[in-house]
Amino acid sequence: GTRIRRRWLARLNPPQLIAVSFAVTILIGAGLFLLPISLEPGQTLRPVQALFMATSAVCVTGLAVVDPGTTFSTFGEVVLLGLIQIGGLGLITLGTLFALALRRRVGVTDRIQVAQQVSALELGGVVRLVRTIVLSSVLVELAGTVVLSAVFVPAEGLGRGLYFALFHSVSAFNNAGFSLYATGLTGFVTNPVINIFVPLLIVLGGMGFLVQLNVLAHLRDRRRARLSANSKLSLTMMGALLLIGTLGFALTEWNNPSTLGTLSVGNKLLASWFQGVTPRTAGFNTLDYSTMGFVTLFMTILLMFIGANPGSTGGGIKTNTFYVMMASAWGMVRGRSDTTLFRRRIDTTTILRAMTVGLLSLGLVNLGFLLLLLLNTNKDILFLQLFFETVSAFATVGLSMNTTPLLNPDQEVVLIFLMFLGRIGPLTFAVAFSRPDSRRLVRYPAEHDILIG
Amino acid sequence: GTRIRRRWLARLNPPQLIAVSFAVTILIGAGLFLLPISLEPGQTLRPVQALFMATSAVCVTGLAVVDPGTTFSTFGEVVLLGLIQIGGLGLITLGTLFALALRRRVGVTDRIQVAQQVSALELGGVVRLVRTIVLSSVLVELAGTVVLSAVFVPAEGLGRGLYFALFHSVSAFNNAGFSLYATGLTGFVTNPVINIFVPLLIVLGGMGFLVQLNVLAHLRDRRRARLSANSKLSLTMMGALLLIGTLGFALTEWNNPSTLGTLSVGNKLLASWFQGVTPRTAGFNTLDYSTMGFVTLFMTILLMFIGANPGSTGGGIKTNTFYVMMASAWGMVRGRSDTTLFRRRIDTTTILRAMTVGLLSLGLVNLGFLLLLLLNTNKDILFLQLFFETVSAFATVGLSMNTTPLLNPDQEVVLIFLMFLGRIGPLTFAVAFSRPDSRRLVRYPAEHDILIG
Ligand SMILES: [K+]
Ligand SMILES: [K+]
């Protein structure tokens, strides 16, 4: 049991496993998109565009260089949906597996805690874990389909309506943000079902699998299954960011005639809630981002960069990473040697890991943005538009100020890399740190005399 | 000797000392600017404008809400120059003192190294240190005045020319970037003396006092006075950033008709060198930043944020901070437990300090930018213009896309805080970390189970 599982995990170099499996899936997807059967009659797709759409789907980003609804045939759309599903499930599974593998290296007390928390998994191992993830995901997606068909069946007819409900449910739960409508969900800005249940699917998908397991176990037996520090932090951060996103959007767009201005107070609040949820890297929108104010857009950029909870289908540097990073930095300024959280000290390795994920992500965003600027040939594209697009690609959000179709092929390639690295990066970084440093035989003496600040 | 000095340093809480002394100097300066004697006949100055100009001078930033040459009388200009001189000397002195104080806490071998390096200082103590700093600064500034008078005396006449030479020499060495010309040094874009000696003064001022002492001692006796790791890192980073800045500017602006396009090849290189040096937080310019391309401007933003060497008159998060932060992050991804530098291991405290300075600085820039966007009332100001202005203020650079005079009083207040915090922040952070954590009596057990990435 445990021995075999460990050997299996050890043989595959985790970062390589993630990168290769994602790349292969993307290439297969791009190949399928290039088949004539994938396209509507009269539509064409360049290879780079096919690669872009496949990357965007597998990395559950949602940025689109062509409109999926008008370009792809039903077969093409099903391929897109399949890639989203594989990408999303792959992320939850890999994220959960590596989290468990990392935890197994730590002390005995922690192992007991993990065992309590995911007792079901310890028995059946990896196969059972994957089965649990797949089953629970499909269950949520089917429930979502049933609810959303209440909107799409009246709008599109029975067969097409059910298909639309399934597509948008899967797209929402996996935080993919692809829509079969050319203008996204802007036609449903005042629809209460869309405004309540699409965000609910997004939040469930972006919550993190271990958090969900922990919460379910806790609800069943509050004494034996306590909420872990990871769950408490993830839930608190998620709640805080949802609140900030919703209130921030309402306050900054309340009177903008292009967005909330013309809506009733109730609908203003509904739309603010939707646009407050979507930067948790979902990518759906019911309002046009190219008409929003600077403050809203910059706030959205910050929320997108922070992203969703770890071990979920959402992207970004992750809520926990952001909290640990900022709390430790602030604590150090206050002269505190320890950063504490729920009466626990966050250990130095976790702090360094969080800061590293944050800094390298920033480096990647800056580099990608610089390349997009360098390669830019369209003088009508604004600085802010490209910056928004960069962060949206890195954090696999999929929101756009309608910039994606204006980019040239070179810029499309940059975005493909940004989506790919933004997706596997933070996950890979987190795993890479845990490798023992066996190559270095000599340890140099410490240098304390580098001036900082 | 040592005992008394230690008690004296211990009694003053260093962060409070820095903040209060800077604030008091700024308030006195603002008060002087409001006197009628400080203004040219017919000119007026609002209190917020006076506070802005005083903050910009003491923090050696160089951003200006009014043009100093036309607004201030000669008395006002001398006050401005005095504030720059006090600010610059204060920074070098405080930076050096705290660096020495921090070093004194570390091991015996380090103490010997420090003693070798700054042997002159150990004998005479603080007073002698301050005297050395003041004398060497004045000496460099006077030499700069002599050289620059070769340009300004022919242009402005003898008396006025000498005065202009002194003003620009002091402004350059202290990395202040204030000019008596309304359009900065754009009139001298092809002047070789300006293009060689103003950057030289900027580089000398931004090199760091301890580095300069170490280099001088090393040049005198290569065996006994080795170059310290701090000096090697500071000099390497400075060289690399100067090269990147110059080449980057040349490559991106070579054919821009508003900047390098119309110049000869030699002058293109001269102007690229000048504009490559000035983002080391000097703030002088010989070309108009509002006419440059997106790539140049974004690259300048990155260079400004990184800034100059620690313990100098330059701002930003500092070259060493940037290197340690990024090298450690990259090393961790590569699975290396140690970050090494010149056959020395950078200790964990230094790494955490660097990452903290970087992250909090980013937080401050983002917060300041968000406030500037929120308070903006001028619809003609672009997103990029405000972002450039924010980083320029935080890193006390003083470059502007001609945005400063367009801001409203509320935004001026935000910039005043940004300049102040950007100036004292990184220095204060660095010191604050060294305080022992005496308040916390209970140490919580470590939490290893927070998921990151
Ligand atoms: K997405
Ligand atoms: K400056």
Side-chain angles (χ1 to χ4, degrees), chain A residues 230 320-321 325 332-334 337-338 345 347 359-360 362 433 437 439 443-445 447-448 451 453, chain B residues 230 320-321 325 332-334 337-338 345 347 359-360 362 433 437 439 443-445 447-448 451 453:
Chain A
N230 183 61
N320 292 3
T321 310
M325 193 167 90
M332 283 184 78
V333 168
R334 301 297 310 276
S337 54
D338 289 352
R345 168 169 52 86
D347 72 326
L359 289 171
L360 289 174
L362 269 169
F433 301 154
D437 191 3
R439 285 159 301 167
R443 195 172 197 211
Y444 293 116
E447 170 66 60
H448 303 274
L451 300 189
Chain B
N230 183 60
N320 292 3
T321 310
M325 193 168 92
M332 283 184 80
V333 168
R334 301 296 310 277
S337 54
D338 288 352
R345 171 169 50 85
D347 72 327
L359 289 171
L360 288 175
L362 269 170
F433 301 155
D437 192 2
R439 283 159 302 168
R443 194 172 196 210
Y444 292 117
E447 171 67 60
H448 304 275
L451 300 188

Side-chain angles (χ1 to χ4, degrees), chain B residues 316-331:
Chain B
I317 62 168
K318 306 295 179 316
T319 53
N320 292 3
T321 310
F322 180 74
Y323 176 83
V324 169
M325 193 168 92
M326 294 317 281
S328 308
W330 184 243

Side-chain angles (χ1 to χ4, degrees), chain B residues 60-62 175-177 281-283 396-398:
Chain B
V60 291
T61 306
N175 277 260
T281 80
T396 64
V397 183

Side-chain angles (χ1 to χ4, degrees), chain A residues 60-62 175-177 281-283 396-398:
Chain A
V60 291
T61 307
N175 277 260
T281 82
T396 66
V397 183

Side-chain angles (χ1 to χ4, degrees), chain A residues 56 59-63 171 174-178 278 280-284 313 315 392 395-399 423:
Chain A
S56 186
C59 299
V60 291
T61 307
L63 288 177
S171 185
N174 290 292
N175 277 260
F178 279 106
T278 197
R280 349 269 40 266
T281 82
F284 278 125
T313 58
S392 179
T396 66
V397 183
L399 294 175
R423 185 77 265 183

Side-chain angles (χ1 to χ4, degrees), chain A residues 143-370:
Chain A
T145 306
V146 171
V147 175
L148 293 185
S149 63
V151 175
F152 290 115
V153 167
E156 306 286 338
L158 182 63
R160 199 172 147 84
L162 282 173
Y163 169 59
F164 269 52
L166 175 71
F167 190 98
H168 288 90
S169 173
V170 172
S171 185
F173 177 73
N174 290 292
N175 277 260
F178 279 106
S179 172
L180 294 176
Y181 295 103
T183 54
L185 297 177
T186 51
F188 302 93
V189 61
T190 61
N191 185 303
V193 176
I194 294 289
N195 276 290
I196 290 165
F197 288 97
V198 170
L200 193 67
L201 286 165
I202 293 170
V203 167
L204 279 176
M207 194 182 277
F209 183 69
L210 286 177
V211 175
Q212 285 161 338
L213 271 188
N214 189 210
V215 168
L216 283 179
H218 180 68
L219 289 178
R220 245 179 283 146
D221 186 344
R222 281 173 189 251
R223 275 199 198 161
R224 284 189 58 195
R226 290 209 210 139
L227 277 185
S228 70
N230 183 61
S231 298
K232 283 191 227 165
L233 178 60
S234 297
L235 292 171
T236 311
M237 284 299 291
M238 200 177 69
L241 291 173
L242 288 175
L243 195 71
I244 291 171
T246 305
L247 287 183
F249 193 89
L251 288 172
T252 51
E253 294 292 320
W254 197 264
N255 292 317
N256 182 346
S258 308
T259 56
L260 297 180
T262 57
L263 302 176
S264 69
V265 171
N267 285 333
K268 277 180 203 235
L269 291 174
L270 266 187
S272 297
W273 159 245
F274 194 100
Q275 261 68 225
V277 172
T278 197
R280 349 269 40 266
T281 82
F284 278 125
N285 61 307
T286 62
L287 291 167
D288 183 356
Y289 274 79
S290 67
T291 61
M292 294 175 191
F294 285 167
V295 179
T296 319
L297 292 165
F298 185 63
M299 214 169 52
T300 306
I301 287 172
L302 294 180
L303 289 172
M304 294 195 297
F305 184 76
I306 297 170
N309 289 344
S312 77
T313 58
I317 62 168
K318 306 296 180 314
T319 52
N320 292 3
T321 310
F322 180 74
Y323 177 82
V324 169
M325 193 167 90
M326 295 317 283
S328 308
W330 185 243
M332 283 184 78
V333 168
R334 301 297 310 276
R336 292 187 194 124
S337 54
D338 289 352
T339 306
T340 57
L341 174 76
F342 309 122
R343 300 183 150 263
R344 287 283 175 140
R345 168 169 52 86
I346 302 177
D347 72 326
T348 312
T349 312
T350 306
I351 293 173
L352 278 173
R353 205 181 276 173
M355 289 186 169
T356 300
V357 169
L359 289 171
L360 289 174
S361 299
L362 269 169
L364 186 60
V365 165
N366 280 317
L367 190 69
F369 182 48
L370 201 58

